[in-house]
Amino acid sequence: MNSKEWIEKSDKYIMKTYGRFPIVPVRGAGCRLWDADGREYLDFLGGVAVNNLGHCHPKVVAALQEQAAQLIHCSNFYQIPQQIELAELLCSHSFADKAFFCNSGAEANEAAIKLARKYSREKFGTERYEIITATDSFHGRTMATVSATGQEKVQRFFDPLLHGFSHVPFNDVAAMEAAVSSASCAIMLEPIQGEGGVNVPSADYFREIRRICDKHNLLLIFDEVQVGMGRTGKLFAYEHFGVTPDIMTLAKALAGGAPIGAMLARDEVAAAFTPGTHGSTFGGNPLVCAAAIATLRVLLEEGILKRTVENGEYLTAKLETLAGKYPFVQGVRGFGLMIGMSLAIPAADIVKKGHARGLLLNVVHDTVLRFVPPLVVTREEIDKMIAILDGILAEVEA
Ligand SMILES: Cc1ncc(COP(=O)(O)O)c(C=O)c1O
């Protein structure tokens, strides 16, 4: 079937939760995708920060194929060696002692919210349950994570929201201090806000947040669903800020494109989850964990983090050159290969023009172009993307 035929069938059978573009990718390799008509695209969205190793990394493909032939699914009523091995890998490379596995970022954040509430209730009583999050945050689409998310456009239509969340501006220590009350049990933040516009905090923000948490006995939850797994040039983004959280959530890039979520915590906090208090049928099944182990090994052993830093600097410098050339480009910000270019104009048309020229880009917060390519992107691919973008921006100015 060609793209047009797939799109007609999609219109008939698929719910309209996404404003989908008329592109039908059917094959991928590295930073490139091909659609159902054989057209090639340079992918600077990477499945929204999922395909950190590029599309169909051979080691992830091999791990999936091998595991699929051995055992695809096994209930969490039993011990799952791949899950245990993945937990060991994640804990030995982070602050955490224990892991819980699920299937998505929202589900990982649900687990974090439930764990924080249960831990706090048992330690400090039933009156402490509130979680403070940030304006412009994004934590997922389930009811608890929609309630945690600090964006009205995500919450609209779904009242009543879950009780027990409050929101303060990101990167505002005084506002956070003022928001803490006797009902607070945790602060939940993205180290760098993704969907909210690639918002980078000031250097000492998280040290101040950690201080507030310690002062009031609050748990610090980092949502690293988008920025974890090497995206910022370190395995976890919190490593940039000189603080450790008590709980961290991961998903997106963790299993090289296979659906997974993880919630990691310190031992004392993790102990609040006792048998029967939380679970997920598919969470951490052998197939997805085998993919995640392969993904992590490639990330850790093949110099990808160093390459991310280098490519991030290279891409940032190129984007800054464009910013100097076009007055409607307001600035470039980010860490590693999580980069935003803010514009004084809506960015949707630029994205559409990119598609017409074989470039997949993305816009967040209406005016911010977000660049989250696979971390294995090459200099040549960055140059090619910049040339296409330069051509598009030149037309905007005209
Ligand atoms: C920071 C953050 N948290 C949570 C989520 C939700 O993840 P998922 O779509 O896998 O539920 C996202 C998705 O974009 C995200 O960026």
PDB file of all heavy atoms in Angstrom, residues 326-347:
ATOM      1  N   TYR A 326      19.403  35.246  11.244  1.00  0.00           N
ATOM      2  CA  TYR A 326      17.965  35.536  11.105  1.00  0.00           C
ATOM      3  C   TYR A 326      17.443  36.211  12.368  1.00  0.00           C
ATOM      4  O   TYR A 326      17.447  35.599  13.448  1.00  0.00           O
ATOM      5  CB  TYR A 326      17.192  34.235  10.835  1.00  0.00           C
ATOM      6  CG  TYR A 326      17.647  33.573   9.561  1.00  0.00           C
ATOM      7  CD1 TYR A 326      18.467  32.435   9.590  1.00  0.00           C
ATOM      8  CD2 TYR A 326      17.273  34.089   8.329  1.00  0.00           C
ATOM      9  CE1 TYR A 326      18.904  31.839   8.419  1.00  0.00           C
ATOM     10  CE2 TYR A 326      17.710  33.494   7.151  1.00  0.00           C
ATOM     11  CZ  TYR A 326      18.517  32.375   7.207  1.00  0.00           C
ATOM     12  OH  TYR A 326      18.965  31.799   6.048  1.00  0.00           O
ATOM     13  N   PRO A 327      16.984  37.449  12.259  1.00  0.00           N
ATOM     14  CA  PRO A 327      16.589  38.203  13.455  1.00  0.00           C
ATOM     15  C   PRO A 327      15.409  37.603  14.220  1.00  0.00           C
ATOM     16  O   PRO A 327      15.257  37.865  15.406  1.00  0.00           O
ATOM     17  CB  PRO A 327      16.208  39.585  12.891  1.00  0.00           C
ATOM     18  CG  PRO A 327      16.231  39.484  11.419  1.00  0.00           C
ATOM     19  CD  PRO A 327      16.921  38.239  11.027  1.00  0.00           C
ATOM     20  N   PHE A 328      14.583  36.791  13.539  1.00  0.00           N
ATOM     21  CA  PHE A 328      13.439  36.205  14.255  1.00  0.00           C
ATOM     22  C   PHE A 328      13.838  34.968  15.074  1.00  0.00           C
ATOM     23  O   PHE A 328      13.013  34.378  15.765  1.00  0.00           O
ATOM     24  CB  PHE A 328      12.299  35.856  13.277  1.00  0.00           C
ATOM     25  CG  PHE A 328      12.739  34.936  12.169  1.00  0.00           C
ATOM     26  CD1 PHE A 328      12.743  33.577  12.340  1.00  0.00           C
ATOM     27  CD2 PHE A 328      13.156  35.467  10.943  1.00  0.00           C
ATOM     28  CE1 PHE A 328      13.164  32.736  11.324  1.00  0.00           C
ATOM     29  CE2 PHE A 328      13.573  34.638   9.927  1.00  0.00           C
ATOM     30  CZ  PHE A 328      13.581  33.264  10.106  1.00  0.00           C
ATOM     31  N   VAL A 329      15.105  34.565  14.995  1.00  0.00           N
ATOM     32  CA  VAL A 329      15.593  33.490  15.876  1.00  0.00           C
ATOM     33  C   VAL A 329      16.073  34.141  17.169  1.00  0.00           C
ATOM     34  O   VAL A 329      16.987  34.968  17.165  1.00  0.00           O
ATOM     35  CB  VAL A 329      16.745  32.686  15.226  1.00  0.00           C
ATOM     36  CG1 VAL A 329      17.247  31.618  16.196  1.00  0.00           C
ATOM     37  CG2 VAL A 329      16.278  32.045  13.920  1.00  0.00           C
ATOM     38  N   GLN A 330      15.425  33.766  18.281  1.00  0.00           N
ATOM     39  CA  GLN A 330      15.714  34.477  19.536  1.00  0.00           C
ATOM     40  C   GLN A 330      16.857  33.879  20.337  1.00  0.00           C
ATOM     41  O   GLN A 330      17.488  34.578  21.113  1.00  0.00           O
ATOM     42  CB  GLN A 330      14.447  34.512  20.389  1.00  0.00           C
ATOM     43  CG  GLN A 330      13.346  35.348  19.744  1.00  0.00           C
ATOM     44  CD  GLN A 330      12.097  35.357  20.568  1.00  0.00           C
ATOM     45  OE1 GLN A 330      11.692  34.331  21.106  1.00  0.00           O
ATOM     46  NE2 GLN A 330      11.461  36.519  20.662  1.00  0.00           N
ATOM     47  N   GLY A 331      17.075  32.584  20.157  1.00  0.00           N
ATOM     48  CA  GLY A 331      18.158  31.982  20.935  1.00  0.00           C
ATOM     49  C   GLY A 331      18.192  30.477  20.786  1.00  0.00           C
ATOM     50  O   GLY A 331      17.244  29.861  20.269  1.00  0.00           O
ATOM     51  N   VAL A 332      19.306  29.907  21.227  1.00  0.00           N
ATOM     52  CA  VAL A 332      19.504  28.458  21.164  1.00  0.00           C
ATOM     53  C   VAL A 332      19.890  28.005  22.564  1.00  0.00           C
ATOM     54  O   VAL A 332      20.722  28.641  23.210  1.00  0.00           O
ATOM     55  CB  VAL A 332      20.646  28.125  20.164  1.00  0.00           C
ATOM     56  CG1 VAL A 332      20.918  26.628  20.132  1.00  0.00           C
ATOM     57  CG2 VAL A 332      20.303  28.643  18.766  1.00  0.00           C
ATOM     58  N   ARG A 333      19.261  26.946  23.059  1.00  0.00           N
ATOM     59  CA  ARG A 333      19.578  26.479  24.421  1.00  0.00           C
ATOM     60  C   ARG A 333      19.476  24.968  24.494  1.00  0.00           C
ATOM     61  O   ARG A 333      18.788  24.355  23.673  1.00  0.00           O
ATOM     62  CB  ARG A 333      18.620  27.131  25.421  1.00  0.00           C
ATOM     63  CG  ARG A 333      17.171  26.904  25.088  1.00  0.00           C
ATOM     64  CD  ARG A 333      16.255  27.644  26.049  1.00  0.00           C
ATOM     65  NE  ARG A 333      14.857  27.380  25.744  1.00  0.00           N
ATOM     66  CZ  ARG A 333      14.009  28.264  25.238  1.00  0.00           C
ATOM     67  NH1 ARG A 333      14.405  29.494  24.958  1.00  0.00           N
ATOM     68  NH2 ARG A 333      12.752  27.937  25.009  1.00  0.00           N
ATOM     69  N   GLY A 334      20.145  24.402  25.477  1.00  0.00           N
ATOM     70  CA  GLY A 334      20.035  22.955  25.656  1.00  0.00           C
ATOM     71  C   GLY A 334      21.276  22.350  26.265  1.00  0.00           C
ATOM     72  O   GLY A 334      22.191  23.061  26.690  1.00  0.00           O
ATOM     73  N   PHE A 335      21.261  21.037  26.308  1.00  0.00           N
ATOM     74  CA  PHE A 335      22.375  20.244  26.836  1.00  0.00           C
ATOM     75  C   PHE A 335      22.555  19.079  25.892  1.00  0.00           C
ATOM     76  O   PHE A 335      21.558  18.434  25.513  1.00  0.00           O
ATOM     77  CB  PHE A 335      21.997  19.656  28.201  1.00  0.00           C
ATOM     78  CG  PHE A 335      22.438  20.462  29.384  1.00  0.00           C
ATOM     79  CD1 PHE A 335      21.651  21.484  29.871  1.00  0.00           C
ATOM     80  CD2 PHE A 335      23.626  20.157  30.029  1.00  0.00           C
ATOM     81  CE1 PHE A 335      22.030  22.209  30.989  1.00  0.00           C
ATOM     82  CE2 PHE A 335      24.024  20.877  31.140  1.00  0.00           C
ATOM     83  CZ  PHE A 335      23.227  21.905  31.624  1.00  0.00           C
ATOM     84  N   GLY A 336      23.784  18.760  25.515  1.00  0.00           N
ATOM     85  CA  GLY A 336      24.009  17.602  24.665  1.00  0.00           C
ATOM     86  C   GLY A 336      23.177  17.706  23.401  1.00  0.00           C
ATOM     87  O   GLY A 336      23.177  18.745  22.723  1.00  0.00           O
ATOM     88  N   LEU A 337      22.440  16.649  23.092  1.00  0.00           N
ATOM     89  CA  LEU A 337      21.586  16.674  21.897  1.00  0.00           C
ATOM     90  C   LEU A 337      20.117  16.840  22.257  1.00  0.00           C
ATOM     91  O   LEU A 337      19.227  16.195  21.683  1.00  0.00           O
ATOM     92  CB  LEU A 337      21.838  15.425  21.047  1.00  0.00           C
ATOM     93  CG  LEU A 337      23.133  15.523  20.214  1.00  0.00           C
ATOM     94  CD1 LEU A 337      23.492  14.178  19.598  1.00  0.00           C
ATOM     95  CD2 LEU A 337      23.032  16.596  19.126  1.00  0.00           C
ATOM     96  N   MET A 338      19.878  17.697  23.238  1.00  0.00           N
ATOM     97  CA  MET A 338      18.514  18.142  23.583  1.00  0.00           C
ATOM     98  C   MET A 338      18.562  19.658  23.418  1.00  0.00           C
ATOM     99  O   MET A 338      18.993  20.384  24.315  1.00  0.00           O
ATOM    100  CB  MET A 338      18.245  17.763  25.039  1.00  0.00           C
ATOM    101  CG  MET A 338      17.056  18.418  25.653  1.00  0.00           C
ATOM    102  SD  MET A 338      15.737  17.246  25.619  1.00  0.00           S
ATOM    103  CE  MET A 338      14.442  18.204  26.335  1.00  0.00           C
ATOM    104  N   ILE A 339      18.206  20.115  22.229  1.00  0.00           N
ATOM    105  CA  ILE A 339      18.447  21.514  21.903  1.00  0.00           C
ATOM    106  C   ILE A 339      17.162  22.181  21.415  1.00  0.00           C
ATOM    107  O   ILE A 339      16.420  21.607  20.606  1.00  0.00           O
ATOM    108  CB  ILE A 339      19.546  21.629  20.813  1.00  0.00           C
ATOM    109  CG1 ILE A 339      20.835  20.935  21.306  1.00  0.00           C
ATOM    110  CG2 ILE A 339      19.839  23.093  20.476  1.00  0.00           C
ATOM    111  CD1 ILE A 339      21.936  20.867  20.277  1.00  0.00           C
ATOM    112  N   GLY A 340      16.930  23.378  21.899  1.00  0.00           N
ATOM    113  CA  GLY A 340      15.780  24.149  21.452  1.00  0.00           C
ATOM    114  C   GLY A 340      16.244  25.439  20.795  1.00  0.00           C
ATOM    115  O   GLY A 340      17.225  26.046  21.221  1.00  0.00           O
ATOM    116  N   MET A 341      15.552  25.816  19.727  1.00  0.00           N
ATOM    117  CA  MET A 341      15.829  27.104  19.070  1.00  0.00           C
ATOM    118  C   MET A 341      14.536  27.905  19.143  1.00  0.00           C
ATOM    119  O   MET A 341      13.522  27.530  18.536  1.00  0.00           O
ATOM    120  CB  MET A 341      16.228  26.857  17.619  1.00  0.00           C
ATOM    121  CG  MET A 341      16.508  28.123  16.836  1.00  0.00           C
ATOM    122  SD  MET A 341      16.676  27.745  15.074  1.00  0.00           S
ATOM    123  CE  MET A 341      18.327  28.290  14.780  1.00  0.00           C
ATOM    124  N   SER A 342      14.554  28.988  19.931  1.00  0.00           N
ATOM    125  CA  SER A 342      13.291  29.718  20.092  1.00  0.00           C
ATOM    126  C   SER A 342      13.177  30.802  19.030  1.00  0.00           C
ATOM    127  O   SER A 342      14.146  31.491  18.697  1.00  0.00           O
ATOM    128  CB  SER A 342      13.164  30.279  21.500  1.00  0.00           C
ATOM    129  OG  SER A 342      14.142  31.229  21.716  1.00  0.00           O
ATOM    130  N   LEU A 343      11.963  30.923  18.507  1.00  0.00           N
ATOM    131  CA  LEU A 343      11.683  31.855  17.417  1.00  0.00           C
ATOM    132  C   LEU A 343      10.679  32.911  17.878  1.00  0.00           C
ATOM    133  O   LEU A 343       9.907  32.675  18.809  1.00  0.00           O
ATOM    134  CB  LEU A 343      11.081  31.097  16.228  1.00  0.00           C
ATOM    135  CG  LEU A 343      11.850  29.870  15.714  1.00  0.00           C
ATOM    136  CD1 LEU A 343      11.082  29.217  14.571  1.00  0.00           C
ATOM    137  CD2 LEU A 343      13.247  30.248  15.257  1.00  0.00           C
ATOM    138  N   ALA A 344      10.688  34.024  17.191  1.00  0.00           N
ATOM    139  CA  ALA A 344       9.693  35.069  17.473  1.00  0.00           C
ATOM    140  C   ALA A 344       8.425  34.836  16.656  1.00  0.00           C
ATOM    141  O   ALA A 344       7.494  35.641  16.702  1.00  0.00           O
ATOM    142  CB  ALA A 344      10.283  36.431  17.157  1.00  0.00           C
ATOM    143  N   ILE A 345       8.406  33.745  15.904  1.00  0.00           N
ATOM    144  CA  ILE A 345       7.252  33.432  15.041  1.00  0.00           C
ATOM    145  C   ILE A 345       6.832  31.978  15.291  1.00  0.00           C
ATOM    146  O   ILE A 345       7.646  31.188  15.786  1.00  0.00           O
ATOM    147  CB  ILE A 345       7.634  33.586  13.544  1.00  0.00           C
ATOM    148  CG1 ILE A 345       8.899  32.749  13.249  1.00  0.00           C
ATOM    149  CG2 ILE A 345       7.860  35.045  13.178  1.00  0.00           C
ATOM    150  CD1 ILE A 345       9.191  32.553  11.794  1.00  0.00           C
ATOM    151  N   PRO A 346       5.591  31.610  14.962  1.00  0.00           N
ATOM    152  CA  PRO A 346       5.199  30.203  15.106  1.00  0.00           C
ATOM    153  C   PRO A 346       6.084  29.310  14.234  1.00  0.00           C
ATOM    154  O   PRO A 346       6.457  29.702  13.124  1.00  0.00           O
ATOM    155  CB  PRO A 346       3.743  30.183  14.620  1.00  0.00           C
ATOM    156  CG  PRO A 346       3.283  31.597  14.699  1.00  0.00           C
ATOM    157  CD  PRO A 346       4.490  32.461  14.477  1.00  0.00           C
ATOM    158  N   ALA A 347       6.399  28.129  14.739  1.00  0.00           N
ATOM    159  CA  ALA A 347       7.371  27.273  14.040  1.00  0.00           C
ATOM    160  C   ALA A 347       6.709  26.180  13.190  1.00  0.00           C
ATOM    161  O   ALA A 347       7.405  25.448  12.481  1.00  0.00           O
ATOM    162  CB  ALA A 347       8.317  26.650  15.051  1.00  0.00           C
TER     163      ALA A 347
END
